[in-house]
Amino acid sequence: MTDAPRSREQRRADTLALLTTPAIDVWMSTSSIDEDGTAAPYLVPLSLAWLENRVVIAVEERSRTARNLINSGRARLALGPTRDVVIIDAELERALPVQQAPAEIVEGYAGQADWDPRGDDGYLYLVLRPIRIQAWREADEIKGRTLMRDGRWL
Amino acid sequence: MTDAPRSREQRRADTLALLTTPAIDVWMSTSSIDEDGTAAPYLVPLSLAWLENRVVIAVEERSRTARNLINSGRARLALGPTRDVVIIDAELERALPVQQAPAEIVEGYAGQADWDPRGDDGYLYLVLRPIRIQAWREADEIKGRTLMRDGRWL
């Protein structure tokens, strides 16, 4: 892209527009520690909802993503194509079995994602609090890429 | 997509076509272990070259991706949009300072990627050996998604 670098305000607006897009997916990276003590990365695409400044995903309780997040509390998420990215470092705030989740999460997730985990057994909503958000397109947008730090929009 | 699930042969052909696309990027997840013993995920987009059945990336020696890979030896890579994905679990085979790399890597990388690390100091080529490769589009392609296992095409 040959446009001028976007302002922080424009990147924040673009980021929020992306996060609230219907049926948007996120690349969700988590990690675990193997029996031999090695750090093991994991990465899958998942459907996201953006509810009350939180990222909400729905995953099987026994999935590796759920286990990694519950064990480590940490994820790093990417949205968008590789040359127009939003990267979010987040921490796990709540893990809610679908049957016990409040209506705003259940309905909010079903309203944005293109599926609804209420039809399946053994699913959790994982509510992630963003700690840092970065957005950039090409090299000229590396400067100014941080939009949120320590959980606060800049 | 409403097409019928692709055959293994078709998925392998599509995967190799994607891996050899000029200027193709990959989502590269790696991980580390924090001082407090927590597994910490990391994720960035990088330019890839596919050379002799290996994924080659070029990164700064001091980058977190380089350090994580050299420490743990493991990465998980994603290519393509979230609903037409190729996922590769890989191990680090070689880490080569740019000035010491053989011509086939230097020229192969510059030929596929849209930049050339020879112009910058402190860069490494990281040569990754794929151990498992999976490819799928929608839910109907989850079955049969594994194309490589234990480093061998199925």
Side-chain angles (χ1 to χ4, degrees), chain B residues 11 25 32 39 51 64 69 73-74 78-80 84 98 111 126 134:
Chain B
R11 296 192 210 196
D25 289 331
S32 57
L51 303 174
R64 192 162 162 185
L69 264 166
R74 294 167 65 170
L79 293 95
D84 185 7
V98 165
L126 299 181
Q134 300 180 310

Side-chain angles (χ1 to χ4, degrees), chain B residues 33-133:
Chain B
I33 301 175
D34 272 2
E35 288 173 12
D36 66 0
T38 307
Y42 194 61
L43 178 65
V44 283
L46 293 171
S47 296
L48 164 154
W50 177 253
L51 303 174
E52 305 280 349
N53 287 305
R54 297 293 183 270
V55 169
V56 179
I57 58 169
V59 288
E60 277 192 276
E61 187 171 358
R62 63 181 189 174
S63 67
R64 192 162 162 185
T65 295
R67 288 183 284 126
N68 284 354
L69 264 166
I70 289 167
N71 284 333
S72 78
R74 294 167 65 170
R76 186 165 158 104
L77 292 60
L79 293 95
T82 54
R83 299 189 187 199
D84 185 7
V85 308
V86 172
I87 302 244
I88 303 175
D89 290 290
E91 62 179 29
L92 181 64
E93 189 172 73
R94 287 192 289 172
L96 297 164
V98 165
Q99 283 72 18
Q100 297 165 30
E104 60 266 26
I105 288 180
V106 173
E107 285 159 21
Y109 187 84
Q112 185 177 348
D114 59 353
W115 72 293
D116 186 338
R118 278 177 292 184
D120 298 294
D121 284 334
Y123 273 77
L124 297 174
Y125 295 107
L126 299 181
V127 179
L128 302 168
R129 188 171 80 92
I131 304 299
R132 187 171 63 166
I133 299 179

Side-chain angles (χ1 to χ4, degrees), chain A residues 95-115:
Chain A
L96 297 164
V98 165
Q99 284 72 19
Q100 296 165 33
E104 61 266 28
I105 288 180
V106 173
E107 286 159 21
Y109 188 84
Q112 185 176 348
D114 60 352
W115 73 293

Side-chain angles (χ1 to χ4, degrees), chain A residues 23 25 27 29-34 37-45 47 72 74-78 80 82-83 85 87 114, chain B residues 23 25 27 29-34 37-45 47 72 74-78 80 82-83 85 87 114 136:
Chain A
D25 289 331
W27 285 108
S29 68
T30 58
S31 60
S32 57
I33 301 174
D34 273 2
T38 306
Y42 193 61
L43 178 65
V44 283
S47 297
S72 79
R74 294 167 64 171
R76 185 165 158 106
L77 293 59
T82 55
R83 300 189 188 198
V85 307
I87 302 242
D114 60 352
Chain B
D25 289 331
W27 285 108
S29 68
T30 58
S31 60
S32 57
I33 301 175
D34 272 2
T38 307
Y42 194 61
L43 178 65
V44 283
S47 296
S72 78
R74 294 167 65 170
R76 186 165 158 104
L77 292 60
T82 54
R83 299 189 187 199
V85 308
I87 302 244
D114 59 353
W136 74 91

Side-chain angles (χ1 to χ4, degrees), chain B residues 5-21:
Chain B
R6 292 168 296 166
S7 67
R8 179 183 291 162
E9 291 68 29
Q10 186 61 50
R11 296 192 210 196
R12 180 174 166 170
D14 292 347
T15 295
L16 289 171
L18 186 63
L19 285 166
T20 52
T21 302

Side-chain angles (χ1 to χ4, degrees), chain A residues 58-134:
Chain A
V59 288
E60 277 192 276
E61 187 169 1
R62 63 180 188 175
S63 66
R64 192 161 162 188
T65 295
R67 288 182 285 124
N68 284 354
L69 264 167
I70 289 167
N71 284 333
S72 79
R74 294 167 64 171
R76 185 165 158 106
L77 293 59
L79 294 95
T82 55
R83 300 189 188 198
D84 185 8
V85 307
V86 172
I87 302 242
I88 302 175
D89 289 290
E91 61 179 29
L92 181 65
E93 188 173 75
R94 288 193 288 173
L96 297 164
V98 165
Q99 284 72 19
Q100 296 165 33
E104 61 266 28
I105 288 180
V106 173
E107 286 159 21
Y109 188 84
Q112 185 176 348
D114 60 352
W115 73 293
D116 187 338
R118 278 177 293 186
D120 298 294
D121 284 334
Y123 273 78
L124 298 174
Y125 295 108
L126 299 181
V127 180
L128 301 168
R129 187 171 81 92
I131 304 300
R132 187 170 65 165
I133 299 180
Q134 298 179 312

